[in-house]
Amino acid sequence: MFETEKAPADNSRTMSVARIYDYLLGGSNHREIDRQAAEQIKLLFPELEDWAWCNRGFHQRAARWLTSELGISQFLDIGSGLPTQNNTHEVVQAINPAARVVYVDNDPMVAEQATKLLQGVDGTVFIPGDLRDSDSVFSNPELRQLIDFSEPVGLLMTAVVHFVSDKSDPWRLVARCLDKLSSGSYLVLSQGTYDKQTPEVVDRATTLYQNANEQLYPRGKAEVERFFEGLELLPPYEGAKPGVTFGGLWGAEDPELADDDASRALYAGVARKP
Ligand SMILES: C[S@@+](CC[C@H](N)C(=O)[O-])C[C@H]1O[C@@H](n2cnc3c(N)ncnc32)[C@H](O)[C@@H]1O
């Protein structure tokens, strides 16, 4: 059994990080308790919805880039979230209809919705699983049927590692997943940051998430860069040096326009495994 930050609580009275995110993205799978938490955070950080869209936009731009420019045709999307419009398989299969996507999430409601939605969709599967127990995820027969580990994989971990505490060592957990992938695979990772936020915003958000199924651990830039140790970071946009950047800037056509308060609450990077 892997280590969890908190014992699972009664689902009806516990906020779910997946449902809060769904609410922010305009979905329909959320409860009053999730909406209230989001609205409480918005009182201090009105850009919260823009932040969610900024993160989702990064996820989609990076998946598209890996498919169209780098020829990646198989993806592992860990912490995939509730199915939204333009989910990963829709983005990558629009470019390469033969692309395969394995979705993984530890929220039972995500599992229920995603399994229904993906029924009959070629090249996709949903697997209930936890980043803190990647050995079970990687040994899943359905995953192994879809992913060829002798070929490069796009490992998508967007807005998920900030739900794993330092105590559980998310850096080791990410490295453990990468160890299983071949050279030429890519890590796409984003994480919420406190670097440009007031202590009040950070305190409000982390306190509210104490009542959620997963707690929130925002991090600084150096801690986010640690996720990419030993990898070759890509330049986030044309003319930039390789590195981790604020979320909206990655893949931006006009980085100046993309630089806003929502973007500055998210770090993002894409890197190749040598
Ligand atoms: C904010 S959503 C991000 C969804 C999607 N990756 C995106 O960026 O649009 C975070 C998702 O990670 C899932 N999650 C949180 N901790 C997890 C863990 N330890 N293992 C697997 N999934 C996790 C949540 O259930 C939720 O669906």
Side-chain angles (χ1 to χ4, degrees):
M1 183 69 186
F2 55 89
E3 184 188 7
T4 53
E5 271 78 47
K6 236 180 165 184
D10 172 4
N11 197 294
S12 62
R13 280 188 282 147
T14 307
M15 295 153 43
S16 142
V17 301
R19 293 194 309 254
I20 295 174
Y21 188 65
D22 181 68
Y23 173 60
L24 296 172
L25 293 179
S28 53
N29 293 292
H30 38 78
R31 298 181 180 154
E32 185 56 26
I33 192 163
D34 310 306
R35 295 188 283 276
Q36 274 178 13
E39 293 304 328
Q40 282 292 317
I41 298 171
K42 276 169 65 181
L43 293 176
L44 289 183
F45 184 63
E47 299 83 7
L48 189 59
E49 272 151 13
D50 294 344
W51 177 92
W53 281 110
C54 172
N55 176 66
R56 196 66 206 158
F58 161 66
H59 178 105
Q60 292 169 339
R61 289 193 299 281
R64 198 173 294 123
W65 179 265
L66 259 53
T67 312
S68 63
E69 305 302 313
L70 303 169
I72 300 292
S73 60
Q74 41 181 8
F75 293 85
L76 187 48
D77 187 349
I78 300 187
S80 54
L82 279 158
T84 54
Q85 273 184 358
N86 253 344
N87 216 336
T88 310
H89 70 278
E90 294 169 289
V91 171
V92 301
Q93 289 182 348
I95 300 160
N96 175 7
R100 283 107 59 211
V101 180
V102 174
Y103 293 98
V104 179
D105 203 284
N106 70 351
D107 186 308
M109 183 161 152
V110 173
E112 196 186 314
Q113 298 287 332
T115 306
K116 265 193 241 157
L117 192 99
L118 296 175
Q119 244 167 33
V121 180
D122 282 348
T124 67
V125 71
F126 177 87
I127 293 173
D130 198 295
L131 167 59
R132 289 165 295 208
D133 182 21
S134 62
D135 287 353
S136 299
V137 171
F138 278 81
S139 62
N140 184 295
E142 287 186 286
L143 176 145
R144 301 200 76 84
Q145 218 174 17
L146 221 53
I147 303 279
D148 174 358
F149 284 100
S150 66
E151 294 289 323
V153 172
L155 176 62
L156 311 175
M157 288 188 175
T158 53
V160 63
V161 289
H162 54 225
F163 295 119
V164 180
S165 72
D166 284 12
K167 214 171 95 196
S168 291
D169 198 346
W171 300 278
R172 184 184 55 86
L173 297 174
V174 171
R176 211 174 156 79
C177 292
L178 283 162
D179 281 349
K180 300 189 170 79
L181 306 182
S182 73
S183 163
S185 293
Y186 283 84
L187 171 66
V188 172
L189 181 142
S190 62
Q191 138 99 54
T193 180
Y194 47 64
D195 275 354
K196 300 287 178 193
Q197 304 308 313
T198 63
E200 289 75 24
V201 170
V202 179
D203 186 57
R204 171 76 57 94
T206 50
T207 303
L208 276 162
Y209 274 88
Q210 286 298 317
N211 299 321
N213 63 332
E214 301 291 346
Q215 285 64 65
L216 183 65
Y217 304 93
R219 296 192 167 95
K221 190 171 190 192
E223 293 171 299
V224 179
E225 285 170 339
R226 265 185 72 195
F227 286 110
F228 296 97
E229 261 172 23
L231 306 178
E232 298 160 354
L233 273 156
L234 300 185
Y237 52 89
E238 219 181 303
K241 286 190 186 141
V244 167
T245 189
F246 287 132
L249 304 189
W250 203 96
E253 279 175 23
D254 185 338
E256 248 176 71
L257 261 183
D259 183 24
D260 59 21
D261 288 341
S263 168
R264 283 188 223 119
L266 183 78
Y267 280 123
V270 178
R272 179 181 182 276
K273 179 177 171 174

